[in-house]
Amino acid sequence: MAKLSAFIVDNDENTREIIKNLIQEVENVEIADVFNTISDAYNEILKEKPNFVFVSTVNNSQDVFGLIEKITLVNNKIKFIVMASSYDTNSVIKAMRAGAREFLPKPLIKEDFIKTVNRLKEQFSGNDSNTNCKIITTFSNKGGIGKTSIATNLALEIANITKEKVAIVDMNFQLGDVATFLDIKPSFDISYVVKNIDGTDNNFLESTLDKYKDTSLYVLADPPYMEQAKDITPEQITKLFDELRKSFSYVIVDTSNVFDGKTITVLDNTDFIMLVTIVNLPAIRNCQRCLDVFERLGYSKDKSKIVINRYMENDEVTVEDVENTLNKKVYWKIPNNYFTIMSSINKGLPVEYINPSSNIAQSFRELATVLSDNIYKQKIAQKIERNPLINFKSLMG
Ligand SMILES: Nc1ncnc2c1ncn2[C@@H]1O[C@H](COP(=O)(O)OP(=O)(O)O)[C@@H](O)[C@H]1O
Ligand SMILES: [Mg+2]
């Protein structure tokens, strides 16, 4: 494999030397150029297209984030690693949103640095075992509750907000309608994919899934004939998730409402279950049953999040009632907006395209922001925890 190139953007001589020394510990990566500021480096980065840019930010400079975003829009293969000695969690999130792929607290820690670069390196060779991928599944043991509406709209918003690669996978094998909700004619479906995936072709999923419009969202539809779904095994589903994790940062899964072997395999592989309910007693009782099943399956309490759909302020049953009955906090409320949702489903377009200022589009955007923020925050916290030189509490407070 050809050597990978890296730029250093830091006006501190000392840090530059440290990075130069550390990079020698990473096989196959060399420093191609050094700059003081990102504006100095801007044209060269676009021209030379280095594989990595190590860039320091002082006082979370908006300039740095703005330029990273500008470059990433043109070339999202360049991996920015943002470094900072003083920062807060929100500014790290801003850097990630701008397109930075990694964040390293200063002073740099040798092991962390090497590990981070090696992991990013794998993305160039395609052997990336993306441990950062999060799988989010919408579930309910009732139909018609809003699972597909939430899965499709949430997936689009996460793609828009994070600009990372997001897959929406229809695992409602018998009655899937993700493709209908997004009005796409899928080139391949999930039964084709599970039969042909062998883990050797790194571009297999990217070339098989349908890219949605001008976004970073990719769609994997259910099989066109119900019989084809019968042949899909839980092992194949797990294998598919393993492969999806390598190529995508987020995988949103829409499920059926039966607790069969396939659905349980999906839930086992899931990081966050969006347990969807509406505010009426039968639905809440069903929700309680699902939580009981999750407990028996050994899932942690944090794994499932209660999402109330079709929420109305003046409902007879209140959110408190729901929380008391379920003995669990409500994670999110999606407003009732029959008009916008129906128009969205009939036109096969997410609500963002129907009416971006509607309460429901706003709610999906905010949910996507909160979810992806929490995921970034977990990542930052893990990093900071590993860095004994940084006072963890003072940063997260
Ligand atoms: N937030 C909402 N406000 C109003 N109606 C909704 C909302 N979400 C879903 N619906 C209605 O519920 C129906 C079922 O939604 P869908 O997403 O297909 O549910 P599921 O996938 O759980 O079967 C939709 O056709 C729509 O009419
Ligand atoms: Mg559905």
Side-chain angles (χ1 to χ4, degrees), residues 138 143-149 170 172 175-178 181 254-256:
T138 54
I145 208 129
K147 292 185 293 295
T148 309
S149 307
D170 198 337
N172 188 350
L175 296 160
D177 36 27
V178 168
F181 275 47
D254 188 21
T255 49
S256 74

Side-chain angles (χ1 to χ4, degrees), residues 144-149 309-310 335-338 341-342 345 360:
I145 208 129
K147 292 185 293 295
T148 309
S149 307
N309 191 25
R310 312 195 67 164
N336 187 58
N337 188 333
Y338 188 73
I341 270 283
M342 275 328 281
I345 295 173
I360 189 159

Side-chain angles (χ1 to χ4, degrees), residues 66-304:
L67 287 180
I68 291 178
E69 183 157 14
K70 249 170 109 175
I71 297 168
T72 309
L73 281 176
V74 183
N75 186 335
N76 64 7
K77 297 237 154 40
I78 302 171
K79 308 222 182 289
F80 285 92
I81 296 120
V82 172
M83 308 173 292
S85 44
S86 76
Y87 52 85
D88 57 72
T89 312
N90 285 337
S91 52
V92 177
I93 291 171
K94 259 189 214 145
M96 302 296 236
R97 290 240 192 290
R101 279 298 151 255
E102 271 296 343
F103 161 75
L104 289 173
K106 276 175 163 180
L108 298 173
I109 295 218
K110 184 175 165 182
E111 291 70 40
D112 206 20
F113 180 92
I114 296 172
K115 222 162 104 192
T116 301
V117 182
N118 273 328
R119 194 160 47 68
L120 290 175
K121 227 174 76 181
E122 301 232 308
Q123 296 179 2
F124 290 108
S125 60
N127 290 328
D128 179 29
S129 55
N130 189 356
T131 48
N132 292 322
C133 172
K134 292 291 174 207
I135 296 173
I136 301 164
T137 299
T138 54
F139 183 76
S140 161
N141 58 349
K142 271 177 100 77
I145 208 129
K147 292 185 293 295
T148 309
S149 307
I150 296 173
T152 46
N153 284 286
L154 179 63
L156 175 81
E157 296 298 354
I158 293 182
N160 281 346
I161 287 167
T162 66
K163 298 177 200 76
E164 296 188 53
K165 273 163 66 187
V166 179
I168 177 155
V169 182
D170 198 337
M171 293 209 181
N172 188 350
F173 298 104
Q174 308 267 319
L175 296 160
D177 36 27
V178 168
T180 314
F181 275 47
L182 295 174
D183 189 27
I184 59 154
K185 306 239 165 347
S187 334
F188 300 100
D189 65 81
I190 202 161
S191 76
Y192 170 87
V193 170
V194 296
K195 282 192 192 98
N196 289 281
I197 204 163
D198 62 5
T200 57
D201 178 359
N202 299 319
N203 291 320
F204 178 75
L205 283 177
E206 216 172 309
S207 53
T208 319
L209 270 63
D210 294 276
K211 194 169 185 300
Y212 185 67
K213 295 185 192 289
D214 196 14
T215 69
S216 56
L217 176 64
Y218 292 75
V219 187
L220 181 52
D222 64 314
Y225 306 104
M226 282 194 191
E227 315 80 83
Q228 290 172 306
K230 282 213 290 288
D231 302 336
I232 300 173
T233 64
E235 291 72 31
Q236 285 175 319
I237 294 173
T238 298
K239 176 103 205 318
L240 173 62
F241 277 118
D242 288 344
E243 292 304 313
L244 285 163
R245 277 197 196 90
K246 293 182 190 171
S247 302
F248 295 93
S249 298
Y250 297 87
V251 177
I252 316 300
V253 188
D254 188 21
T255 49
S256 74
N257 45 3
V258 278
F259 266 119
D260 59 5
K262 284 184 190 123
T263 305
I264 290 172
T265 308
V266 173
L267 296 175
D268 281 349
N269 277 285
T270 295
D271 296 293
F272 297 117
I273 303 171
M274 297 293 171
L275 182 55
V276 186
T277 186
I278 50 175
V279 186
N280 70 36
L281 278 179
I284 294 163
R285 231 169 257 141
N286 273 309
C287 201
Q288 181 60 58
R289 289 195 189 111
C290 292
L291 290 172
D292 291 345
V293 174
F294 296 162
E295 197 178 330
R296 285 204 298 279
L297 288 168
Y299 298 165
S300 77
K301 285 222 176 328
D302 293 349
K303 178 162 169 165
S304 54

Side-chain angles (χ1 to χ4, degrees), residues 48-66:
E48 296 300 325
K49 306 179 184 64
N51 300 99
F52 303 103
V53 179
F54 296 96
V55 52
S56 279
T57 148
V58 184
N59 304 329
N60 313 306
S61 152
Q62 287 307 314
D63 276 9
V64 173
F65 300 162

